[in-house]
């Protein structure tokens, strides 16, 4: 078999550029996104979390401007306006929130409207008066008192976050990082404190202080940080043996530098989520204490106080309890939805578990 060498000649038409328009493809460089940008993007894709955030913002706005919308104060009493059903301008023409209510008596159900007299020759003086959420047994505006009570719930939420982030987080970081005798002493102390019921702590505080907002704040400050400290300690135990911590120690970094500059940034997302979940628990604790009579002193009212007062008239005037309960439910649901969205945003792999 003979091997022959043939000269290959390439013509201009043998090769063509890739692409219908005969344009060469060029690599595109995309700008890198920051860690917080990714978190915000994942958070905004969660419809439940966005709904929770919107609910919280609406509650905050109403807590700020709500008490001043009607021109009435939360302590203003008018016996002639007591037990008035909700009446809203505009909606009364549609037959809803027109001030009428159905009373259940021993003789049966009777529908009445205290704004309008049954006798056409008489006037009640309430024909042009509107109470959007109605009034209580002392003639106080429930709308104004509800949003004043919401301020207290939001204050409790703020206290819970501050206590968690300023004390519980630091407590857990120090306990988990140093370990040994330090960890044993700190954990035994927190377990003893956690074993005392909150109701007992509040009762003991009442012996020293008067029942009120200060007592509830101290009760939350004394025990509300324990859950956060345990989460922070568990996260530190997972990270303190990692290579980057060993490298920092080798380079001569001090303990508190490692705790707050190396470990804390890596677990800060989980701590934020934990603090968000602690807010509904703190709000419920305040509402429960107020419901059993250990809340703020009258005439100031929280949502728990309003629910407690309205519960006594629930069978005759159910509207008194409906609105405070709805606002409290929206607050707790919104914080839970937002906390759940933050958890998925900071750790998207949690959805797969």
């Amino acid at each position: 078999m003979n091997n022959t060498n043939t000269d290959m000649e390439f013509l201009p038409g043998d090769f063509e550029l890739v692409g219908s328009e005969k344009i060469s493809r060029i690599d595109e460089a995309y700008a890198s996104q920051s860690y917080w940008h990714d978190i915000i993007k994942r958070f905004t894709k969660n419809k439940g979390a966005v709904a929770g955030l919107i609910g919280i913002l609406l509650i905050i706005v109403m807590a700020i401007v709500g008490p001043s919308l009607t021109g009435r104060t939360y302590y203003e009493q008018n016996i002639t306006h007591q037990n008035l059903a909700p009446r809203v301008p505009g909606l009364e023409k549609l037959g809803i929130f027109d001030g009428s209510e159905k009373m259940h008596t021993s003789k049966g159900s009777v529908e009445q409207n205290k704004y309008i007299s049954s006798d056409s020759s008489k006037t009640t003086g309430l024909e042009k008066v509107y109470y959007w959420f109605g009034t209580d047994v002392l003639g106080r505006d429930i709308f104004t008192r509800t949003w004043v009570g919401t301020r207290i719930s939001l204050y409790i939420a703020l206290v819970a976050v501050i206590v968690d982030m300023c004390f519980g987080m630091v407590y857990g970081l120090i306990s988990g990082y140093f370990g040994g005798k330090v960890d044993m002493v700190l954990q035994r102390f927190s377990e003893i404190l956690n074993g005392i019921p909150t109701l007992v702590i509040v009762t003991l505080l009442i012996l020293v202080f008067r029942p009120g907002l200060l007592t509830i704040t101290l009760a939350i400050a004394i025990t509300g940080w324990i859950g956060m400290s345990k989460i922070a300690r568990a996260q530190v135990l997972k990270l303190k043996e990692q290579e980057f911590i060993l490298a920092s120690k080798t380079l001569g970094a001090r303990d508190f530098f490692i705790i707050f500059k190396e470990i804390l940034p890596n677990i800060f997302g989980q701590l934020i989520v934990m603090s968000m979940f602690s807010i509904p628990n703190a709000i419920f604790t305040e509402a429960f204490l107020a419901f059993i009579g250990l809340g703020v002193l009258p005439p100031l009212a929280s949502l728990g106080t309003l629910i407690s007062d309205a519960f006594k008239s629930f069978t005759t005037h159910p509207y008194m309890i409906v609105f405070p309960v709805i606002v409290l439910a929206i607050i707790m649901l919104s914080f839970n939805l937002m906390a759940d969205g933050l958890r998925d945003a900071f750790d998207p792999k949690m959805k797969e578990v």
Side-chain angles (χ1 to χ4, degrees), residues 146-209:
T146 297
W147 296 119
V148 170
T150 304
R151 291 180 178 179
I152 296 178
S153 296
L154 296 177
Y155 164 78
I156 294 298
L158 179 62
V159 169
V161 172
I162 293 175
V163 170
D164 277 350
M165 301 305 291
C166 294
F167 190 76
M169 180 185 70
V170 176
Y171 192 95
L173 289 173
I174 294 175
S175 177
Y177 179 81
F178 289 102
K181 293 182 179 180
V182 174
D183 183 46
M184 183 185 68
V185 172
L186 293 179
Q187 290 306 304
R188 297 298 82 76
F189 173 76
S190 64
E191 288 172 2
I192 293 172
L193 196 60
N194 192 36
I196 304 174
T198 304
L199 186 59
V200 175
I201 295 176
V202 175
T203 305
L204 293 176
L205 289 174
I206 291 176
L207 297 177
V208 181
F209 305 100

Side-chain angles (χ1 to χ4, degrees), residues 95-149:
I96 55 176
F97 294 107
D98 57 353
S100 60
E101 61 175 329
K102 185 176 291 187
M103 298 288 295
H104 299 281
T105 63
S106 57
K107 297 181 180 180
S109 299
V110 178
E111 186 169 346
Q112 65 175 358
N113 190 331
K114 293 184 179 179
Y115 292 90
I116 303 173
S117 175
S118 58
D119 189 353
S120 59
S121 62
K122 298 180 180 179
T123 59
T124 61
L126 298 173
E127 289 79 4
K128 297 182 179 180
V129 176
Y130 294 92
Y131 287 99
W132 298 342
F133 287 178
T135 61
D136 60 11
V137 294
L138 297 177
R140 296 174 295 191
D141 184 18
I142 297 179
F143 181 87
T144 303
R145 291 174 62 79
T146 297
W147 296 119
V148 170

Side-chain angles (χ1 to χ4, degrees), residues 164 270-282 335-343:
D164 277 350
Q270 291 87 343
L271 299 183
I272 290 178
V273 173
M274 182 60 189
S275 66
M276 289 296 104
F277 276 115
S278 68
I279 288 176
N281 185 38
F335 274 111
N336 276 317
L337 288 175
M338 191 176 73
D340 189 62
L342 285 174
R343 180 184 60 189

Side-chain angles (χ1 to χ4, degrees), residues 15-28:
F15 298 94
E16 294 182 358
L17 295 174
V18 177
S20 59
E21 298 178 358
K22 298 182 179 181
I23 301 175
S24 60
R25 299 297 181 188
I26 302 175
D27 292 337
E28 297 182 7

